[in-house]
Amino acid sequence: MEANVDYIRDYTMYAAIFGIFSFNWFGWAQERPRQSWRLYLGIASGIALLVGLIGVYLSIKNWHEASALADSGAFKDYLIYVYTEFFVAGVGAFLLIKFKHKDYIAPWIAFIVGVHFFALVDVFQDSSLNILASVLIIVAAASIFLSKKLNVANSAITGIGAGTILFCFAVLGLVRFLMV
């Protein structure tokens, strides 16, 4: 399924949402990274926030443009998927804390976020979200092994991986917006 170029507002929202969530993931990566990574994580956070804010501005300026969510069925599906994502992620995080495995919360959240993007492919009529979903799931799984090997928190690796892929999709949103 090809991305629908008629949904200009969605591309600006990709930049806004993915940019701001990239900023959040780079922030979470600072839980217990190697000391030498902190400056770069801070710079990455700042750049991601800037891209996210540009996306917010462009979203506001283009709010009248078409969006996949203008269809009431698509918007309803979107809400169901997002609420389900938050619920499942929250319950999983609660259980991980309860059973004293809080170091696995970041990979768990990244995994659930990744899975939810598979559902959003049809909502946004954008097959590129399959790539985003797949890479986030790979990041979640790989972080568990890489963090042990590098002796850092799972959140450091998960945050760097998720922050990077979300940043790339935020920039892609801007590029797609500019190409329309």
Side-chain angles (χ1 to χ4, degrees):
M1 177 182 304
E2 284 293 312
N4 189 333
V5 294
D6 294 331
Y7 297 142
I8 294 169
R9 188 174 82 197
D10 295 344
Y11 297 149
T12 62
M13 288 300 294
Y14 282 9
I17 292 169
F18 296 155
I20 290 171
F21 277 108
S22 172
F23 164 76
N24 291 332
W25 278 103
F26 284 130
W28 200 353
Q30 297 207 31
E31 181 180 359
R32 193 171 41 91
R34 290 189 171 169
Q35 188 63 32
S36 62
W37 299 357
R38 288 198 185 275
L39 174 64
Y40 301 105
L41 289 170
I43 291 168
S45 293
I47 294 170
L49 180 60
L50 179 61
V51 169
L53 292 174
I54 290 168
V56 168
Y57 171 78
L58 291 173
S59 297
I60 291 167
K61 295 294 280 183
N62 291 281
W63 198 253
H64 63 281
E65 297 292 341
S67 168
L69 297 180
D71 175 83
S72 63
F75 185 66
K76 181 180 146 223
D77 289 346
Y78 171 79
L79 290 176
I80 289 169
Y81 297 139
V82 169
Y83 290 148
T84 301
E85 169 200 18
F86 278 105
F87 178 76
V88 172
V91 168
F94 172 80
L95 292 172
L96 288 167
I97 292 168
K98 180 175 173 56
F99 293 108
K100 306 207 184 315
H101 294 292
K102 68 179 183 176
D103 197 40
Y104 293 95
I105 293 173
W108 169 251
I109 301 296
F111 173 77
I112 295 302
V113 170
V115 168
H116 111 285
F117 280 117
F118 283 126
L120 295 181
V121 168
D122 288 333
V123 170
F124 287 101
Q125 300 174 27
D126 186 351
S127 61
S128 75
L129 295 176
N130 283 316
I131 297 167
L132 178 58
S134 299
V135 175
L136 282 172
I137 291 169
I138 291 167
V139 163
S143 71
I144 294 168
F145 303 103
L146 289 172
S147 62
K148 286 178 182 27
K149 184 175 175 96
L150 297 171
N151 196 30
V152 296
N154 284 334
S155 59
I157 302 301
T158 308
I160 290 168
T164 300
I165 190 64
L166 288 167
F167 177 77
C168 290
F169 270 79
V171 171
L172 179 62
L174 290 177
V175 169
R176 290 164 94 179
F177 166 75
L178 293 171
M179 291 179 63
V180 175

PDB file of all heavy atoms in Angstrom, residues 86-123:
ATOM      1  N   PHE A  86      -1.827   2.339  25.179  1.00  0.00           N
ATOM      2  CA  PHE A  86      -1.539   2.909  26.492  1.00  0.00           C
ATOM      3  C   PHE A  86      -1.911   1.942  27.612  1.00  0.00           C
ATOM      4  O   PHE A  86      -1.165   1.784  28.576  1.00  0.00           O
ATOM      5  CB  PHE A  86      -2.268   4.249  26.686  1.00  0.00           C
ATOM      6  CG  PHE A  86      -1.563   5.411  26.075  1.00  0.00           C
ATOM      7  CD1 PHE A  86      -2.037   5.982  24.903  1.00  0.00           C
ATOM      8  CD2 PHE A  86      -0.424   5.946  26.654  1.00  0.00           C
ATOM      9  CE1 PHE A  86      -1.382   7.054  24.325  1.00  0.00           C
ATOM     10  CE2 PHE A  86       0.237   7.026  26.087  1.00  0.00           C
ATOM     11  CZ  PHE A  86      -0.250   7.574  24.919  1.00  0.00           C
ATOM     12  N   PHE A  87      -3.055   1.291  27.474  1.00  0.00           N
ATOM     13  CA  PHE A  87      -3.505   0.363  28.504  1.00  0.00           C
ATOM     14  C   PHE A  87      -2.552  -0.822  28.638  1.00  0.00           C
ATOM     15  O   PHE A  87      -2.099  -1.152  29.739  1.00  0.00           O
ATOM     16  CB  PHE A  87      -4.935  -0.127  28.199  1.00  0.00           C
ATOM     17  CG  PHE A  87      -5.433  -1.119  29.196  1.00  0.00           C
ATOM     18  CD1 PHE A  87      -5.843  -0.712  30.455  1.00  0.00           C
ATOM     19  CD2 PHE A  87      -5.477  -2.468  28.888  1.00  0.00           C
ATOM     20  CE1 PHE A  87      -6.286  -1.635  31.389  1.00  0.00           C
ATOM     21  CE2 PHE A  87      -5.917  -3.399  29.807  1.00  0.00           C
ATOM     22  CZ  PHE A  87      -6.328  -2.981  31.063  1.00  0.00           C
ATOM     23  N   VAL A  88      -2.241  -1.470  27.517  1.00  0.00           N
ATOM     24  CA  VAL A  88      -1.362  -2.647  27.540  1.00  0.00           C
ATOM     25  C   VAL A  88       0.037  -2.261  28.028  1.00  0.00           C
ATOM     26  O   VAL A  88       0.641  -2.963  28.845  1.00  0.00           O
ATOM     27  CB  VAL A  88      -1.311  -3.332  26.157  1.00  0.00           C
ATOM     28  CG1 VAL A  88      -0.264  -4.422  26.101  1.00  0.00           C
ATOM     29  CG2 VAL A  88      -2.687  -3.893  25.797  1.00  0.00           C
ATOM     30  N   ALA A  89       0.554  -1.136  27.546  1.00  0.00           N
ATOM     31  CA  ALA A  89       1.877  -0.680  27.979  1.00  0.00           C
ATOM     32  C   ALA A  89       1.874  -0.387  29.478  1.00  0.00           C
ATOM     33  O   ALA A  89       2.812  -0.766  30.196  1.00  0.00           O
ATOM     34  CB  ALA A  89       2.300   0.553  27.193  1.00  0.00           C
ATOM     35  N   GLY A  90       0.827   0.265  29.952  1.00  0.00           N
ATOM     36  CA  GLY A  90       0.729   0.603  31.370  1.00  0.00           C
ATOM     37  C   GLY A  90       0.613  -0.622  32.267  1.00  0.00           C
ATOM     38  O   GLY A  90       1.280  -0.710  33.299  1.00  0.00           O
ATOM     39  N   VAL A  91      -0.227  -1.566  31.875  1.00  0.00           N
ATOM     40  CA  VAL A  91      -0.377  -2.796  32.659  1.00  0.00           C
ATOM     41  C   VAL A  91       0.950  -3.554  32.689  1.00  0.00           C
ATOM     42  O   VAL A  91       1.393  -4.029  33.744  1.00  0.00           O
ATOM     43  CB  VAL A  91      -1.524  -3.675  32.106  1.00  0.00           C
ATOM     44  CG1 VAL A  91      -1.490  -5.070  32.716  1.00  0.00           C
ATOM     45  CG2 VAL A  91      -2.870  -3.013  32.356  1.00  0.00           C
ATOM     46  N   GLY A  92       1.597  -3.657  31.530  1.00  0.00           N
ATOM     47  CA  GLY A  92       2.886  -4.343  31.474  1.00  0.00           C
ATOM     48  C   GLY A  92       3.928  -3.659  32.340  1.00  0.00           C
ATOM     49  O   GLY A  92       4.684  -4.328  33.071  1.00  0.00           O
ATOM     50  N   ALA A  93       3.984  -2.329  32.292  1.00  0.00           N
ATOM     51  CA  ALA A  93       4.943  -1.582  33.110  1.00  0.00           C
ATOM     52  C   ALA A  93       4.649  -1.792  34.605  1.00  0.00           C
ATOM     53  O   ALA A  93       5.571  -1.998  35.405  1.00  0.00           O
ATOM     54  CB  ALA A  93       4.909  -0.100  32.759  1.00  0.00           C
ATOM     55  N   PHE A  94       3.375  -1.762  34.957  1.00  0.00           N
ATOM     56  CA  PHE A  94       2.992  -1.998  36.347  1.00  0.00           C
ATOM     57  C   PHE A  94       3.466  -3.379  36.811  1.00  0.00           C
ATOM     58  O   PHE A  94       4.040  -3.523  37.895  1.00  0.00           O
ATOM     59  CB  PHE A  94       1.474  -1.875  36.506  1.00  0.00           C
ATOM     60  CG  PHE A  94       0.977  -2.294  37.859  1.00  0.00           C
ATOM     61  CD1 PHE A  94       1.075  -1.430  38.939  1.00  0.00           C
ATOM     62  CD2 PHE A  94       0.427  -3.561  38.054  1.00  0.00           C
ATOM     63  CE1 PHE A  94       0.631  -1.821  40.201  1.00  0.00           C
ATOM     64  CE2 PHE A  94      -0.016  -3.957  39.310  1.00  0.00           C
ATOM     65  CZ  PHE A  94       0.083  -3.084  40.381  1.00  0.00           C
ATOM     66  N   LEU A  95       3.230  -4.384  35.984  1.00  0.00           N
ATOM     67  CA  LEU A  95       3.638  -5.749  36.350  1.00  0.00           C
ATOM     68  C   LEU A  95       5.156  -5.881  36.439  1.00  0.00           C
ATOM     69  O   LEU A  95       5.676  -6.575  37.325  1.00  0.00           O
ATOM     70  CB  LEU A  95       3.058  -6.760  35.359  1.00  0.00           C
ATOM     71  CG  LEU A  95       1.533  -6.918  35.424  1.00  0.00           C
ATOM     72  CD1 LEU A  95       1.038  -7.795  34.282  1.00  0.00           C
ATOM     73  CD2 LEU A  95       1.092  -7.456  36.779  1.00  0.00           C
ATOM     74  N   LEU A  96       5.866  -5.224  35.530  1.00  0.00           N
ATOM     75  CA  LEU A  96       7.331  -5.267  35.585  1.00  0.00           C
ATOM     76  C   LEU A  96       7.847  -4.626  36.871  1.00  0.00           C
ATOM     77  O   LEU A  96       8.785  -5.137  37.496  1.00  0.00           O
ATOM     78  CB  LEU A  96       7.939  -4.585  34.358  1.00  0.00           C
ATOM     79  CG  LEU A  96       7.793  -5.374  33.051  1.00  0.00           C
ATOM     80  CD1 LEU A  96       8.135  -4.498  31.849  1.00  0.00           C
ATOM     81  CD2 LEU A  96       8.667  -6.628  33.076  1.00  0.00           C
ATOM     82  N   ILE A  97       7.228  -3.544  37.299  1.00  0.00           N
ATOM     83  CA  ILE A  97       7.611  -2.905  38.565  1.00  0.00           C
ATOM     84  C   ILE A  97       7.252  -3.818  39.733  1.00  0.00           C
ATOM     85  O   ILE A  97       8.072  -4.043  40.631  1.00  0.00           O
ATOM     86  CB  ILE A  97       6.940  -1.521  38.712  1.00  0.00           C
ATOM     87  CG1 ILE A  97       7.518  -0.545  37.686  1.00  0.00           C
ATOM     88  CG2 ILE A  97       7.101  -0.987  40.137  1.00  0.00           C
ATOM     89  CD1 ILE A  97       6.737   0.753  37.558  1.00  0.00           C
ATOM     90  N   LYS A  98       6.039  -4.345  39.707  1.00  0.00           N
ATOM     91  CA  LYS A  98       5.566  -5.218  40.789  1.00  0.00           C
ATOM     92  C   LYS A  98       6.479  -6.428  40.979  1.00  0.00           C
ATOM     93  O   LYS A  98       6.772  -6.806  42.117  1.00  0.00           O
ATOM     94  CB  LYS A  98       4.138  -5.676  40.496  1.00  0.00           C
ATOM     95  CG  LYS A  98       3.547  -6.592  41.547  1.00  0.00           C
ATOM     96  CD  LYS A  98       2.098  -6.886  41.228  1.00  0.00           C
ATOM     97  CE  LYS A  98       1.467  -7.917  42.114  1.00  0.00           C
ATOM     98  NZ  LYS A  98       1.499  -7.696  43.515  1.00  0.00           N
ATOM     99  N   PHE A  99       6.947  -6.998  39.886  1.00  0.00           N
ATOM    100  CA  PHE A  99       7.790  -8.191  39.977  1.00  0.00           C
ATOM    101  C   PHE A  99       9.282  -7.866  39.906  1.00  0.00           C
ATOM    102  O   PHE A  99      10.109  -8.718  39.624  1.00  0.00           O
ATOM    103  CB  PHE A  99       7.379  -9.216  38.913  1.00  0.00           C
ATOM    104  CG  PHE A  99       6.007  -9.774  39.166  1.00  0.00           C
ATOM    105  CD1 PHE A  99       4.940  -9.418  38.371  1.00  0.00           C
ATOM    106  CD2 PHE A  99       5.778 -10.630  40.252  1.00  0.00           C
ATOM    107  CE1 PHE A  99       3.668  -9.908  38.616  1.00  0.00           C
ATOM    108  CE2 PHE A  99       4.513 -11.133  40.500  1.00  0.00           C
ATOM    109  CZ  PHE A  99       3.440 -10.766  39.683  1.00  0.00           C
ATOM    110  N   LYS A 100       9.592  -6.588  40.160  1.00  0.00           N
ATOM    111  CA  LYS A 100      10.979  -6.120  40.293  1.00  0.00           C
ATOM    112  C   LYS A 100      11.836  -6.351  39.038  1.00  0.00           C
ATOM    113  O   LYS A 100      12.976  -6.791  39.129  1.00  0.00           O
ATOM    114  CB  LYS A 100      11.624  -6.740  41.527  1.00  0.00           C
ATOM    115  CG  LYS A 100      10.802  -6.505  42.790  1.00  0.00           C
ATOM    116  CD  LYS A 100      11.603  -6.498  44.020  1.00  0.00           C
ATOM    117  CE  LYS A 100      10.811  -6.352  45.281  1.00  0.00           C
ATOM    118  NZ  LYS A 100       9.775  -5.399  45.371  1.00  0.00           N
ATOM    119  N   HIS A 101      11.245  -6.010  37.891  1.00  0.00           N
ATOM    120  CA  HIS A 101      11.957  -6.076  36.614  1.00  0.00           C
ATOM    121  C   HIS A 101      11.824  -4.728  35.886  1.00  0.00           C
ATOM    122  O   HIS A 101      11.647  -4.691  34.667  1.00  0.00           O
ATOM    123  CB  HIS A 101      11.396  -7.203  35.731  1.00  0.00           C
ATOM    124  CG  HIS A 101      11.619  -8.559  36.279  1.00  0.00           C
ATOM    125  ND1 HIS A 101      12.874  -9.133  36.370  1.00  0.00           N
ATOM    126  CD2 HIS A 101      10.751  -9.467  36.790  1.00  0.00           C
ATOM    127  CE1 HIS A 101      12.762 -10.333  36.897  1.00  0.00           C
ATOM    128  NE2 HIS A 101      11.491 -10.558  37.174  1.00  0.00           N
ATOM    129  N   LYS A 102      11.933  -3.644  36.651  1.00  0.00           N
ATOM    130  CA  LYS A 102      11.694  -2.334  36.050  1.00  0.00           C
ATOM    131  C   LYS A 102      12.690  -1.977  34.953  1.00  0.00           C
ATOM    132  O   LYS A 102      12.410  -1.127  34.118  1.00  0.00           O
ATOM    133  CB  LYS A 102      11.632  -1.241  37.108  1.00  0.00           C
ATOM    134  CG  LYS A 102      12.939  -0.946  37.800  1.00  0.00           C
ATOM    135  CD  LYS A 102      12.765   0.159  38.809  1.00  0.00           C
ATOM    136  CE  LYS A 102      14.107   0.485  39.419  1.00  0.00           C
ATOM    137  NZ  LYS A 102      14.040   1.583  40.327  1.00  0.00           N
ATOM    138  N   ASP A 103      13.847  -2.625  34.911  1.00  0.00           N
ATOM    139  CA  ASP A 103      14.817  -2.348  33.850  1.00  0.00           C
ATOM    140  C   ASP A 103      14.294  -2.759  32.470  1.00  0.00           C
ATOM    141  O   ASP A 103      14.842  -2.357  31.454  1.00  0.00           O
ATOM    142  CB  ASP A 103      16.153  -3.042  34.144  1.00  0.00           C
ATOM    143  CG  ASP A 103      17.298  -2.477  33.320  1.00  0.00           C
ATOM    144  OD1 ASP A 103      17.345  -1.240  33.143  1.00  0.00           O
ATOM    145  OD2 ASP A 103      18.133  -3.273  32.841  1.00  0.00           O
ATOM    146  N   TYR A 104      13.217  -3.541  32.456  1.00  0.00           N
ATOM    147  CA  TYR A 104      12.645  -3.987  31.183  1.00  0.00           C
ATOM    148  C   TYR A 104      11.472  -3.118  30.720  1.00  0.00           C
ATOM    149  O   TYR A 104      10.854  -3.404  29.693  1.00  0.00           O
ATOM    150  CB  TYR A 104      12.210  -5.454  31.282  1.00  0.00           C
ATOM    151  CG  TYR A 104      13.384  -6.380  31.446  1.00  0.00           C
ATOM    152  CD1 TYR A 104      13.787  -6.803  32.705  1.00  0.00           C
ATOM    153  CD2 TYR A 104      14.112  -6.796  30.342  1.00  0.00           C
ATOM    154  CE1 TYR A 104      14.888  -7.629  32.860  1.00  0.00           C
ATOM    155  CE2 TYR A 104      15.219  -7.615  30.490  1.00  0.00           C
ATOM    156  CZ  TYR A 104      15.599  -8.037  31.745  1.00  0.00           C
ATOM    157  OH  TYR A 104      16.689  -8.852  31.887  1.00  0.00           O
ATOM    158  N   ILE A 105      11.171  -2.061  31.446  1.00  0.00           N
ATOM    159  CA  ILE A 105      10.039  -1.210  31.074  1.00  0.00           C
ATOM    160  C   ILE A 105      10.278  -0.524  29.728  1.00  0.00           C
ATOM    161  O   ILE A 105       9.390  -0.526  28.864  1.00  0.00           O
ATOM    162  CB  ILE A 105       9.722  -0.172  32.172  1.00  0.00           C
ATOM    163  CG1 ILE A 105       9.202  -0.885  33.417  1.00  0.00           C
ATOM    164  CG2 ILE A 105       8.697   0.849  31.678  1.00  0.00           C
ATOM    165  CD1 ILE A 105       9.003   0.017  34.621  1.00  0.00           C
ATOM    166  N   ALA A 106      11.437   0.056  29.513  1.00  0.00           N
ATOM    167  CA  ALA A 106      11.696   0.755  28.241  1.00  0.00           C
ATOM    168  C   ALA A 106      11.574  -0.194  27.044  1.00  0.00           C
ATOM    169  O   ALA A 106      10.890   0.145  26.065  1.00  0.00           O
ATOM    170  CB  ALA A 106      13.054   1.444  28.265  1.00  0.00           C
ATOM    171  N   PRO A 107      12.200  -1.386  27.073  1.00  0.00           N
ATOM    172  CA  PRO A 107      12.004  -2.296  25.942  1.00  0.00           C
ATOM    173  C   PRO A 107      10.535  -2.709  25.766  1.00  0.00           C
ATOM    174  O   PRO A 107      10.055  -2.835  24.640  1.00  0.00           O
ATOM    175  CB  PRO A 107      12.877  -3.503  26.280  1.00  0.00           C
ATOM    176  CG  PRO A 107      13.876  -3.008  27.250  1.00  0.00           C
ATOM    177  CD  PRO A 107      13.204  -1.894  28.004  1.00  0.00           C
ATOM    178  N   TRP A 108       9.831  -2.903  26.871  1.00  0.00           N
ATOM    179  CA  TRP A 108       8.417  -3.268  26.806  1.00  0.00           C
ATOM    180  C   TRP A 108       7.610  -2.170  26.115  1.00  0.00           C
ATOM    181  O   TRP A 108       6.818  -2.447  25.213  1.00  0.00           O
ATOM    182  CB  TRP A 108       7.872  -3.539  28.213  1.00  0.00           C
ATOM    183  CG  TRP A 108       6.374  -3.660  28.261  1.00  0.00           C
ATOM    184  CD1 TRP A 108       5.493  -2.774  28.798  1.00  0.00           C
ATOM    185  CD2 TRP A 108       5.580  -4.729  27.721  1.00  0.00           C
ATOM    186  NE1 TRP A 108       4.210  -3.215  28.628  1.00  0.00           N
ATOM    187  CE2 TRP A 108       4.234  -4.420  27.969  1.00  0.00           C
ATOM    188  CE3 TRP A 108       5.878  -5.906  27.051  1.00  0.00           C
ATOM    189  CZ2 TRP A 108       3.187  -5.240  27.578  1.00  0.00           C
ATOM    190  CZ3 TRP A 108       4.839  -6.735  26.653  1.00  0.00           C
ATOM    191  CH2 TRP A 108       3.509  -6.405  26.926  1.00  0.00           C
ATOM    192  N   ILE A 109       7.819  -0.935  26.526  1.00  0.00           N
ATOM    193  CA  ILE A 109       7.089   0.188  25.931  1.00  0.00           C
ATOM    194  C   ILE A 109       7.424   0.305  24.440  1.00  0.00           C
ATOM    195  O   ILE A 109       6.529   0.478  23.606  1.00  0.00           O
ATOM    196  CB  ILE A 109       7.402   1.513  26.664  1.00  0.00           C
ATOM    197  CG1 ILE A 109       7.026   1.443  28.143  1.00  0.00           C
ATOM    198  CG2 ILE A 109       6.734   2.695  25.968  1.00  0.00           C
ATOM    199  CD1 ILE A 109       5.569   1.270  28.446  1.00  0.00           C
ATOM    200  N   ALA A 110       8.698   0.189  24.092  1.00  0.00           N
ATOM    201  CA  ALA A 110       9.098   0.266  22.677  1.00  0.00           C
ATOM    202  C   ALA A 110       8.453  -0.857  21.867  1.00  0.00           C
ATOM    203  O   ALA A 110       8.014  -0.643  20.730  1.00  0.00           O
ATOM    204  CB  ALA A 110      10.623   0.216  22.545  1.00  0.00           C
ATOM    205  N   PHE A 111       8.382  -2.045  22.457  1.00  0.00           N
ATOM    206  CA  PHE A 111       7.747  -3.180  21.778  1.00  0.00           C
ATOM    207  C   PHE A 111       6.269  -2.885  21.512  1.00  0.00           C
ATOM    208  O   PHE A 111       5.784  -3.062  20.385  1.00  0.00           O
ATOM    209  CB  PHE A 111       7.895  -4.449  22.628  1.00  0.00           C
ATOM    210  CG  PHE A 111       7.128  -5.616  22.093  1.00  0.00           C
ATOM    211  CD1 PHE A 111       7.595  -6.328  20.998  1.00  0.00           C
ATOM    212  CD2 PHE A 111       5.922  -5.993  22.681  1.00  0.00           C
ATOM    213  CE1 PHE A 111       6.866  -7.404  20.489  1.00  0.00           C
ATOM    214  CE2 PHE A 111       5.198  -7.068  22.190  1.00  0.00           C
ATOM    215  CZ  PHE A 111       5.668  -7.774  21.086  1.00  0.00           C
ATOM    216  N   ILE A 112       5.555  -2.417  22.526  1.00  0.00           N
ATOM    217  CA  ILE A 112       4.121  -2.130  22.372  1.00  0.00           C
ATOM    218  C   ILE A 112       3.903  -0.989  21.375  1.00  0.00           C
ATOM    219  O   ILE A 112       3.004  -1.050  20.531  1.00  0.00           O
ATOM    220  CB  ILE A 112       3.481  -1.808  23.747  1.00  0.00           C
ATOM    221  CG1 ILE A 112       3.540  -3.029  24.656  1.00  0.00           C
ATOM    222  CG2 ILE A 112       2.048  -1.312  23.585  1.00  0.00           C
ATOM    223  CD1 ILE A 112       2.855  -4.275  24.109  1.00  0.00           C
ATOM    224  N   VAL A 113       4.723   0.031  21.448  1.00  0.00           N
ATOM    225  CA  VAL A 113       4.617   1.135  20.470  1.00  0.00           C
ATOM    226  C   VAL A 113       4.843   0.592  19.065  1.00  0.00           C
ATOM    227  O   VAL A 113       4.110   0.935  18.127  1.00  0.00           O
ATOM    228  CB  VAL A 113       5.608   2.267  20.805  1.00  0.00           C
ATOM    229  CG1 VAL A 113       5.677   3.293  19.682  1.00  0.00           C
ATOM    230  CG2 VAL A 113       5.222   2.946  22.114  1.00  0.00           C
ATOM    231  N   GLY A 114       5.845  -0.252  18.907  1.00  0.00           N
ATOM    232  CA  GLY A 114       6.104  -0.850  17.600  1.00  0.00           C
ATOM    233  C   GLY A 114       4.904  -1.625  17.085  1.00  0.00           C
ATOM    234  O   GLY A 114       4.467  -1.441  15.943  1.00  0.00           O
ATOM    235  N   VAL A 115       4.343  -2.469  17.923  1.00  0.00           N
ATOM    236  CA  VAL A 115       3.186  -3.278  17.512  1.00  0.00           C
ATOM    237  C   VAL A 115       2.025  -2.385  17.094  1.00  0.00           C
ATOM    238  O   VAL A 115       1.349  -2.654  16.099  1.00  0.00           O
ATOM    239  CB  VAL A 115       2.780  -4.255  18.643  1.00  0.00           C
ATOM    240  CG1 VAL A 115       1.426  -4.897  18.359  1.00  0.00           C
ATOM    241  CG2 VAL A 115       3.852  -5.322  18.842  1.00  0.00           C
ATOM    242  N   HIS A 116       1.795  -1.309  17.824  1.00  0.00           N
ATOM    243  CA  HIS A 116       0.646  -0.456  17.498  1.00  0.00           C
ATOM    244  C   HIS A 116       0.790   0.212  16.133  1.00  0.00           C
ATOM    245  O   HIS A 116      -0.200   0.509  15.479  1.00  0.00           O
ATOM    246  CB  HIS A 116       0.381   0.535  18.643  1.00  0.00           C
ATOM    247  CG  HIS A 116       0.643   1.969  18.377  1.00  0.00           C
ATOM    248  ND1 HIS A 116       1.917   2.494  18.322  1.00  0.00           N
ATOM    249  CD2 HIS A 116      -0.207   3.005  18.173  1.00  0.00           C
ATOM    250  CE1 HIS A 116       1.822   3.797  18.088  1.00  0.00           C
ATOM    251  NE2 HIS A 116       0.565   4.128  17.985  1.00  0.00           N
ATOM    252  N   PHE A 117       2.022   0.403  15.666  1.00  0.00           N
ATOM    253  CA  PHE A 117       2.191   1.002  14.335  1.00  0.00           C
ATOM    254  C   PHE A 117       1.734   0.063  13.223  1.00  0.00           C
ATOM    255  O   PHE A 117       1.316   0.525  12.159  1.00  0.00           O
ATOM    256  CB  PHE A 117       3.628   1.476  14.103  1.00  0.00           C
ATOM    257  CG  PHE A 117       3.899   2.800  14.739  1.00  0.00           C
ATOM    258  CD1 PHE A 117       4.842   2.913  15.750  1.00  0.00           C
ATOM    259  CD2 PHE A 117       3.216   3.938  14.358  1.00  0.00           C
ATOM    260  CE1 PHE A 117       5.094   4.125  16.354  1.00  0.00           C
ATOM    261  CE2 PHE A 117       3.451   5.169  14.954  1.00  0.00           C
ATOM    262  CZ  PHE A 117       4.390   5.259  15.956  1.00  0.00           C
ATOM    263  N   PHE A 118       1.793  -1.244  13.446  1.00  0.00           N
ATOM    264  CA  PHE A 118       1.251  -2.166  12.440  1.00  0.00           C
ATOM    265  C   PHE A 118      -0.237  -1.903  12.243  1.00  0.00           C
ATOM    266  O   PHE A 118      -0.737  -1.920  11.122  1.00  0.00           O
ATOM    267  CB  PHE A 118       1.466  -3.627  12.850  1.00  0.00           C
ATOM    268  CG  PHE A 118       2.862  -4.126  12.656  1.00  0.00           C
ATOM    269  CD1 PHE A 118       3.555  -4.706  13.704  1.00  0.00           C
ATOM    270  CD2 PHE A 118       3.497  -4.038  11.417  1.00  0.00           C
ATOM    271  CE1 PHE A 118       4.843  -5.185  13.537  1.00  0.00           C
ATOM    272  CE2 PHE A 118       4.788  -4.512  11.239  1.00  0.00           C
ATOM    273  CZ  PHE A 118       5.465  -5.083  12.291  1.00  0.00           C
ATOM    274  N   ALA A 119      -0.959  -1.648  13.336  1.00  0.00           N
ATOM    275  CA  ALA A 119      -2.390  -1.365  13.242  1.00  0.00           C
ATOM    276  C   ALA A 119      -2.660  -0.022  12.570  1.00  0.00           C
ATOM    277  O   ALA A 119      -3.671   0.143  11.888  1.00  0.00           O
ATOM    278  CB  ALA A 119      -3.015  -1.387  14.636  1.00  0.00           C
ATOM    279  N   LEU A 120      -1.748   0.928  12.738  1.00  0.00           N
ATOM    280  CA  LEU A 120      -1.969   2.258  12.174  1.00  0.00           C
ATOM    281  C   LEU A 120      -1.682   2.351  10.678  1.00  0.00           C
ATOM    282  O   LEU A 120      -2.024   3.359  10.042  1.00  0.00           O
ATOM    283  CB  LEU A 120      -1.135   3.295  12.934  1.00  0.00           C
ATOM    284  CG  LEU A 120      -1.535   3.490  14.392  1.00  0.00           C
ATOM    285  CD1 LEU A 120      -0.668   4.563  15.040  1.00  0.00           C
ATOM    286  CD2 LEU A 120      -3.012   3.835  14.526  1.00  0.00           C
ATOM    287  N   VAL A 121      -1.081   1.313  10.094  1.00  0.00           N
ATOM    288  CA  VAL A 121      -0.806   1.308   8.650  1.00  0.00           C
ATOM    289  C   VAL A 121      -2.102   1.547   7.872  1.00  0.00           C
ATOM    290  O   VAL A 121      -2.147   2.390   6.968  1.00  0.00           O
ATOM    291  CB  VAL A 121      -0.141  -0.021   8.217  1.00  0.00           C
ATOM    292  CG1 VAL A 121      -0.126  -0.166   6.700  1.00  0.00           C
ATOM    293  CG2 VAL A 121       1.271  -0.112   8.778  1.00  0.00           C
ATOM    294  N   ASP A 122      -3.159   0.822   8.228  1.00  0.00           N
ATOM    295  CA  ASP A 122      -4.426   0.974   7.517  1.00  0.00           C
ATOM    296  C   ASP A 122      -5.128   2.287   7.854  1.00  0.00           C
ATOM    297  O   ASP A 122      -5.764   2.888   7.004  1.00  0.00           O
ATOM    298  CB  ASP A 122      -5.353  -0.206   7.819  1.00  0.00           C
ATOM    299  CG  ASP A 122      -4.879  -1.481   7.148  1.00  0.00           C
ATOM    300  OD1 ASP A 122      -4.212  -1.401   6.096  1.00  0.00           O
ATOM    301  OD2 ASP A 122      -5.170  -2.571   7.690  1.00  0.00           O
ATOM    302  N   VAL A 123      -5.003   2.721   9.088  1.00  0.00           N
ATOM    303  CA  VAL A 123      -5.634   3.982   9.494  1.00  0.00           C
ATOM    304  C   VAL A 123      -5.083   5.133   8.662  1.00  0.00           C
ATOM    305  O   VAL A 123      -5.835   5.950   8.130  1.00  0.00           O
ATOM    306  CB  VAL A 123      -5.420   4.256  10.999  1.00  0.00           C
ATOM    307  CG1 VAL A 123      -5.866   5.664  11.367  1.00  0.00           C
ATOM    308  CG2 VAL A 123      -6.147   3.223  11.846  1.00  0.00           C
TER     309      VAL A 123
END
